[in-house]
Amino acid sequence: MRTNRVLAKLRQGKLVLVTTVTPYASPKLTEMVGMLDFDCVWIDMEHQDYSYDQLFDMALGCRASGVEPMARIRKGDYWTYSRPFEAGASGIMVPHCCTGAEAEQIVRFARFAPLGMRGIDGVEVSADYGMAPTLEYMAHANRETFVCVQIEDREAVDNVDAIAAVAGVDILFIGPADLSQSYGIPLQTQDPLIQTAIERVAAAAAKHGKAWGLPVGSATAAERYYEQGARFLSCGAAIILLQQGWRQIRQDFDALLQR
């Protein structure tokens, strides 16, 4: 069993830098991200067709280089909250959490007693494949895994204080695109309505001692949110980086051919 790098940094008030290898199910890429000293890899099972076997392989790459694997789950039955942990994720992100009652249900499925009622197995990788005493493993899992809920609906902003108050929720993560859609202004993420919503999330997180964050396009774009208290920031995706790199190569050669 191992200490969670994300939680260790958040408990010290330090920045956690997240990135994603979307859409590639590659343990080589997740291992590389760790070698580059990112803190967390966001593995998006909501919008990608990753299997649990692929999640296991990507998490194995994470463990090899010391970066934490976070799975954004596909919401469904109770097992969709616990299976990512059993496949090696050290944190889960739950999309579209809209009420305090829903946050409580998430914790019930994702945490062992006394916080929740997650089903006990005790032979997965996070339990050292059954070599860790089960009660010790359960306590360790409650302490060293994290639950991140997404605030990406107007209803969630209205209920953010109740969501943030739930014990067992560690991080509030804003989804600006879906949030803008919910407010009727799709992709207008800089609109005052959305910025005010972000401020409400930041205030609720501070009130209840929770971390919060959101995706950002660059360190420059992140600065104002960091100053507002955001400590869980995601930047970059494999597909975007590849597009940018290949586009630049194409442009460079087009310029050469025009000389």
Side-chain angles (χ1 to χ4, degrees), residues 160-167 169-170 172 201-211:
V160 69
D161 191 70
I163 294 169
V166 174
V169 169
D170 301 292
L172 309 179
V201 175
K207 176 181 176 181
H208 295 284
K210 304 297 171 70

Side-chain angles (χ1 to χ4, degrees), residues 147-169:
V147 173
C148 171
V149 298
Q150 286 202 267
I151 307 299
E152 46 189 349
D153 299 270
R154 188 168 190 163
E155 181 184 2
V157 175
D158 292 340
N159 294 316
V160 69
D161 191 70
I163 294 169
V166 174
V169 169

Side-chain angles (χ1 to χ4, degrees), residues 213-256:
L214 71 173
V216 292
S218 66
T220 300
E223 186 173 3
R224 64 169 163 167
Y225 300 118
Y226 183 80
E227 291 174 352
Q228 287 178 256
R231 292 297 182 268
F232 193 80
L233 297 174
S234 181
C235 188
I239 193 167
I240 294 171
L241 298 173
L242 285 172
Q243 288 173 358
Q244 290 173 341
W246 276 324
R247 183 176 291 115
Q248 187 61 57
I249 291 170
R250 182 67 256 179
Q251 290 172 352
D252 291 345
F253 274 85
D254 286 344
L256 173 64

